[in-house]
Each structure stands twice: as C-alpha cells, then as structure tokens.
Amino acid sequence: MAPAAMTFASSLSDAQPVPYWLDDPDKPTALPALTGDDRCDLLVVGGGYSGLWTALLAKERDPATDVVLIEGREVGWAASGRNGGFCAASLTHGLSNGLARWPGEIDRLEELGARNLDGIEETVARYSIDCDFERTGSLDVATEPYQVAELAEMYEETQRLGIEGLTLLDQDAVRAEVNSPIFLGGLWDKRGTAMLHPAQLAWGLKRACRELGVRIYENTPGLDLATAGAGMAVRTPYGRVFASRVALGTNVFPSLVKRVRPYTVPVYDYALMTEPLSPAQLAEIGWGGRQGLGDVANQFHYFRITADHRILWGGYDAIYPFGGKVSAELDHRPETYLKLAEHFFRYFPQLEGLRFSHAWGGAIDTCSRFSAFFGTAHGGRVAYAAGYTGLGVGATRFGAEVMLDLLAGECTERTELEMVRSKPLPFPPEPVAWAGIGITKWSLAQADANGGRRNVWLKTMDRLGLGFDS
C-alpha cells in the first residue's frame, strides 16, 4: 500500500462499524412485539420517518382514531437512523429535478415544501424533541470551474422564479464560510434546510406518538397483506392486525403491495464520522454558520458539522446490488470507507491527523424520478409512499399527509398535484436493471471528469425521464 493510502487507512483504524447516531447509551428500549391479534382504525407499517409521521399526523387530525404502528426491527434503525441529518424543504429532490419534471407546478411544490419544513420545526418544538434542530440552511459548493457556471445559472433561475433566501458566493465568500482550498464558489440556501440528529428525531416522534395513544409494536414485521371483510389484515410472525385502513411506510423494503415493487431499487450509501475537532481545528475550517454542505458533482459528497463538533462525511459511491437485495452484509464496504477518507483529506488537508470514529452504510429507496411517488390499493383502503431517494428526512412528513388524504378519499391541494397523481417509470427486471444502472454510474463519473458533459447514454436517460443519482 502506498504511503498516502496508509495514511488514509490509519485514519480509519479506530472507526466503529456502527452508525454514529445509533451508538447512543440513551437509545430507548425496544417495545414488545405483537403477540396475538389486534384491531384498529389505521395500521401503519414501518417505524421510520414515513410511518412515524403518518401515525402522529393521524392522531393530530382526529385524536379518536385508533392507530397501531408495527416495525420489523426497532424504530429508526434503518435509513431514519443512518442518514446525514439534512432535513430539506424540497419535495422534489432539489429545484433542478423539480423544474425538469413539474415546471408548471414548481411554485406550488416549493411553497408546500417550505410549509412542510415549518411544520417539522413546529412539531419538534411542541413535543420538545431534543434532536439538535438547527435551521442553518445548505450550501452547494463548486469544486470545478464548470460547476461555478452551473451554480450561477441555477441562481439566475431562482431569481426568475422569485425564490428568495439564496445567495451566490464567489471563491473568497464561500471559503469565508467553510475553508477548503478546493472550493471555487457556492450557492447558499439560508432557510431551506435544517440540520438535526436523525435518530433522536425518530425516537422523539416515537415518544410523541405514544403520548397521543398510538400502540407501537417493535420487532414485528408485516409479512403479508390481505382483505378481511370490509377492511384489511396484516399478518405478523406471532399474530395479525385487522384495520379499516393501512398506510405503508416501508420504503426500501419490499412493499406489501407487490405491484409497487418494480418502482424502487435499493442503493447503498456510506458515511464516516470524525472524532470531535479541537478548537484549533475548528478555527482552521471556520464553518461558523453550521450549514449542511454538498458538492455539485454527479457523484457528490454531503457533509455537515454536528452539535459536538464532529464532521459527517458521506456520499460519492452509490452501490446497487444485483437483484436489488437488501442485506445487512452490504451495510459496510471498507473500500468505500477508504475512498471517502482520501476524499475528505483532499477537501480539508489542514485537518491531517484527524481520525474517524464511526463508519457505516445503509440502503436508500431510489426511484427513477428521484422523488417520492404515491398511490392506493385494495379499493382505497391501503395507501403507500416510497422513492424518496435519500431526501426523506423532511419529505416523509409531506408523504404522510398525502397518504392520509388518499385514505380519507379527500381532494386536497396535495392530491391534486401532478407529482402526486403520476408515477415514475418502473425499473426493468434483471439483468437489465443491473446493467443499465452500471452504465449510468460509469457515464456520470465520465461526465464529472469531462467538465459536466453528458454522453449519449445520459442524454437518452434524461429524455426518457430515467436517472440514477449518488
């Protein structure tokens, strides 16, 4: 191993192979599994953000609604406890994606997204959820000259649309915010993202649900879904739940509505967490604004600073397993950790000698349009939302509202959206999906290396409304 690679590897020598957020001595104790049968008005399947928001909002809409939530493992153990803690207002996986797909309603989508983030902030305060919520915004940074031009074009587009709160930064201005020698420019959205502790948000929502009377069963996977008289029944390992309505928040895991499964594939994302920075190290990098950062390459990094002055560093590699299997074996990938460590010290060479305390991965539910899709089954008695593609910390609350609207049969400002009424294109069966995603990943890497120029394959995927994003 070359000396430089040895240095990167040594920075990982003490890294614990567990998600930093879940490595908490104050983690709540798991609730008992369901044994026997239970009955309710609304059954929520899935104990991540999607399910938790659905249960909470259902009780807030009508406290008399009897709600049960079942979770296959423990609340927040999957994507909701493994992500970077970027809680964005965007419902469309960023403005560019929204403009490309729903230009006629982008103003409405942006407004609903801003209201949704306000609603999350209000909920965190009302239920006293201690999740380090900081509405510090996000900063997209350019590390190549062509990306400076792309950020300027996006800024001009936001001005044309009348979107406020964004500031275009030149090289000096962006380095005054966060000091990296490779930053060439930036676009700062000052209100559109909050940073938070993702696991503590999930645990806080769990507590709030229970306080409102939601019955939660952990280590209780939903095995199958069937009609039962005028309602539905979900079988679990030791019992069943009979419900008038069912909301599915299983996201990356196989949907209990089998026809929904081709619309999502799992993509594995990986992250590192540093040890706490010393005051001298903090002075070297600045970052007083505590924004969440991301570079604007196709294979991008996301990074943020935590309440205890660590740096989370994730992204770049996006690994699709053949056959779309979700497996604990894929939660760790040492070759990706080594690559991430190398990239980290390229961005922050002044932090040489800093070590990583945690390294982990997890699966993201990706769909071909990068943002959530919605629908119903079994005559409207079942609703689902999936496909958040890594931006679900905030958007799952909106998705919960949509599912509740659909189950109620209500026509609302949400259900009237083309985004809600339409579906993404499904992924093809194997081996076509694996080959197509592989070619797309290679093409995206080539575009990053060639001034952002997209090849024929990527242009074709754009025209078809298909895509793949790290």
Side-chain angles (χ1 to χ4, degrees), residues 146-159 168:
Y146 77 89
Q147 296 169 3
V148 176
E150 289 181 350
L151 289 179
E153 290 174 5
M154 178 51 62
Y155 178 73
E156 291 299 324
E157 184 68 17
T158 64
Q159 299 308 290
L168 187 65

Side-chain angles (χ1 to χ4, degrees), residues 377-411:
H378 294 278
R381 289 172 288 183
V382 176
Y384 56 83
Y388 291 96
T389 318
L391 215 67
V393 180
T396 45
R397 181 184 179 278
F398 174 81
E401 296 272 28
V402 171
M403 284 196 286
L404 292 172
D405 290 348
L406 293 173
L407 289 172
E410 297 175 349
C411 181

